Amino acid sequence: MAAVESGDDDDKLETEHFLRIVNAFRFYRSHALMRVESADRYYKELPDHHKALIPDFRANLDLIRTSIDHNYEIIKLILQDTEYMFENKSHGLENDGETIKQVPPTTFDMDKVTSTLKQFVRDWSEDGQVERDACYKPVTEEITRRFPASEWDPSSVYVLVPGAGLGRLAFEIANLGYSCQGNEWSLFMLFASNFVLNKCKHVNSFTMYPWVHQWSNNKLKADQTRPITFPDIETTSIAPTVSFSMAAGDFLEVYTEPESWDCVATVFFIDTAHNIIAYIETMYKIIKPGGCWINLGPLLYHYTDMANESSIELSYEELKNVITKIGFVLEKEEVDVKSTYTQNRLSMLQYEYQSVFFVATKPS
């Protein structure tokens, strides 16, 4: 994976950030078990006749503890060799992280760890197939329509996937024969994608319990400890002649070379911007004349009302005006595309986005 070069002060901040994310992963088991112990303490305070009505309650807590322990074994594998992910650069992580100063992470950091576990469902399990079909299939179908193998050498078509997450969409594009690079800023995602793409050699060789942190809206108590296996596909299946990579860093900082990509594919990405207009300007700059931008997702602006953060939030109507004023031609548009994001299909609570799918081209 490629990293952005930086000065000494930036290096120090980068190292501190790196160690903070590693600490969050390493604190996972302790943090998750605190919630279990809280439930157990309250159970002990119940009247005996109430306890008698739920005789299997503590046995289920034991299953939850075991599931958390198993997840932590996966996390330890994810953390292996992470200090050398970026241009052979070490961040001071030694002995599998044992020498790191253990600073309890924030609740925000721990939410990121548990949400990263759910990303394995979305991107790399059979359980996530329906969600992937809704979100990724329109993109891959559009790419093959615009750059058919009958007219193009797919390996000569360069596709960029910003906000690549755990890398499945970028992998699928490369698996079709196109040269593809995924870009991701979040170290949570980068650690996990590095593991699944480079360390998981066999189909369904790992088991995880992604819903073990969901304490409400479970129809069955077994739903909380329901396992998934991953990866659901051989991650080594990409042809050796195809260029496939993941690049770390801020999209706006990493991609500055004009007219270098035939296609940019964004899924649940553009609303991660502080300034969405800067994202659109950058995409217009880096796409080759005649190339295209394919997008699917909602407008859940990530920095809205977040402490110490600011952003500009445009309606889709305003966004379309910006896209065309910058120079894109809106060629295709579908609204109210039903889509989900890391959805637990067995939960009593379901969120569904009415996403937009569009294709914008840069005039030749």
Side-chain angles (χ1 to χ4, degrees), residues 170-213:
F171 171 88
E172 291 289 351
I173 294 169
N175 212 25
L176 291 169
Y178 299 95
S179 293
C180 187
Q181 182 170 90
N183 164 240
E184 181 56 55
W185 175 83
S186 167
L187 284 178
F188 294 100
M189 300 291 187
L190 287 165
F191 287 175
S193 64
N194 176 63
F195 172 67
V196 75
L197 289 169
N198 297 320
K199 307 294 180 64
C200 299
K201 302 300 184 184
H202 304 290
V203 172
N204 292 330
S205 52
F206 293 93
T207 301
M208 181 182 287
Y209 301 85
W211 314 117
V212 72
H213 317 100

Side-chain angles (χ1 to χ4, degrees), residues 48-95:
D48 287 343
H49 66 286
H50 287 181
K51 292 177 185 175
L53 296 172
I54 46 174
D56 299 329
F57 186 84
R58 298 194 77 187
N60 190 55
L61 290 183
D62 287 338
L63 286 176
I64 293 172
R65 290 186 183 96
T66 301
S67 300
I68 290 168
D69 288 341
H70 193 96
N71 285 351
Y72 189 56
E73 293 304 310
I74 300 291
I75 283 174
K76 287 194 288 187
L77 294 174
I78 290 172
L79 290 179
Q80 282 182 356
D81 305 322
T82 50
E83 75 232 74
Y84 299 114
M85 281 172 52
F86 307 103
E87 298 178 345
N88 227 15
K89 177 180 179 180
S90 173
H91 290 84
L93 182 63
E94 299 171 3
N95 300 324

Side-chain angles (χ1 to χ4, degrees), residues 213-226:
H213 317 100
Q214 181 171 319
W215 291 86
S216 57
N217 288 307
N218 292 310
K219 290 180 183 176
L220 306 174
K221 69 175 185 291
D223 290 347
Q224 191 171 0
T225 52
R226 178 169 62 92

Side-chain angles (χ1 to χ4, degrees), residues 249-268:
D250 185 293
F251 169 66
L252 296 177
E253 296 176 4
V254 176
Y255 298 97
T256 58
E257 185 178 346
E259 300 180 0
S260 50
W261 298 92
D262 296 288
C263 175
V264 176
T266 55
V267 175
F268 279 71

Side-chain angles (χ1 to χ4, degrees), residues 177-362:
Y178 299 95
S179 293
C180 187
Q181 182 170 90
N183 164 240
E184 181 56 55
W185 175 83
S186 167
L187 284 178
F188 294 100
M189 300 291 187
L190 287 165
F191 287 175
S193 64
N194 176 63
F195 172 67
V196 75
L197 289 169
N198 297 320
K199 307 294 180 64
C200 299
K201 302 300 184 184
H202 304 290
V203 172
N204 292 330
S205 52
F206 293 93
T207 301
M208 181 182 287
Y209 301 85
W211 314 117
V212 72
H213 317 100
Q214 181 171 319
W215 291 86
S216 57
N217 288 307
N218 292 310
K219 290 180 183 176
L220 306 174
K221 69 175 185 291
D223 290 347
Q224 191 171 0
T225 52
R226 178 169 62 92
I228 60 104
T229 55
F230 70 94
D232 67 320
I233 188 172
E234 289 280 0
T235 59
T236 56
S237 61
I238 295 173
T241 56
V242 174
S243 174
F244 174 52
S245 61
M246 290 284 287
D250 185 293
F251 169 66
L252 296 177
E253 296 176 4
V254 176
Y255 298 97
T256 58
E257 185 178 346
E259 300 180 0
S260 50
W261 298 92
D262 296 288
C263 175
V264 176
T266 55
V267 175
F268 279 71
F269 170 70
I270 58 174
D271 53 5
T272 65
H274 288 279
N275 178 0
I276 195 170
I277 299 173
Y279 271 15
I280 299 168
E281 279 184 333
T282 295
M283 281 185 270
Y284 191 82
K285 175 183 177 181
I286 66 176
I287 291 174
K288 299 175 184 178
C292 65
W293 168 28
I294 306 170
N295 176 77
L296 189 147
L299 291 174
L300 179 68
Y301 292 103
H302 287 212
Y303 294 103
T304 299
D305 300 324
M306 187 180 292
N308 303 315
E309 298 286 357
S310 57
S311 67
I312 182 168
E313 298 88 15
L314 304 183
S315 68
Y316 179 56
E317 177 188 36
E318 292 172 307
L319 184 65
K320 283 199 297 183
N321 288 333
V322 170
I323 290 169
T324 55
K325 285 178 180 178
I326 283 176
F328 281 110
V329 176
L330 204 59
E331 191 175 280
K332 181 183 288 189
E333 179 186 34
E334 296 176 30
V335 295
D336 299 331
V337 178
K338 292 179 171 55
S339 50
T340 59
Y341 195 86
T342 63
Q343 185 83 278
N344 181 354
R345 60 183 176 81
L346 298 185
S347 174
M348 298 170 71
L349 176 64
Q350 301 288 324
Y351 287 104
E352 184 178 77
Y353 294 100
Q354 305 295 317
S355 292
V356 62
F357 172 70
F358 64 74
V359 180
T361 56
K362 181 175 180 177

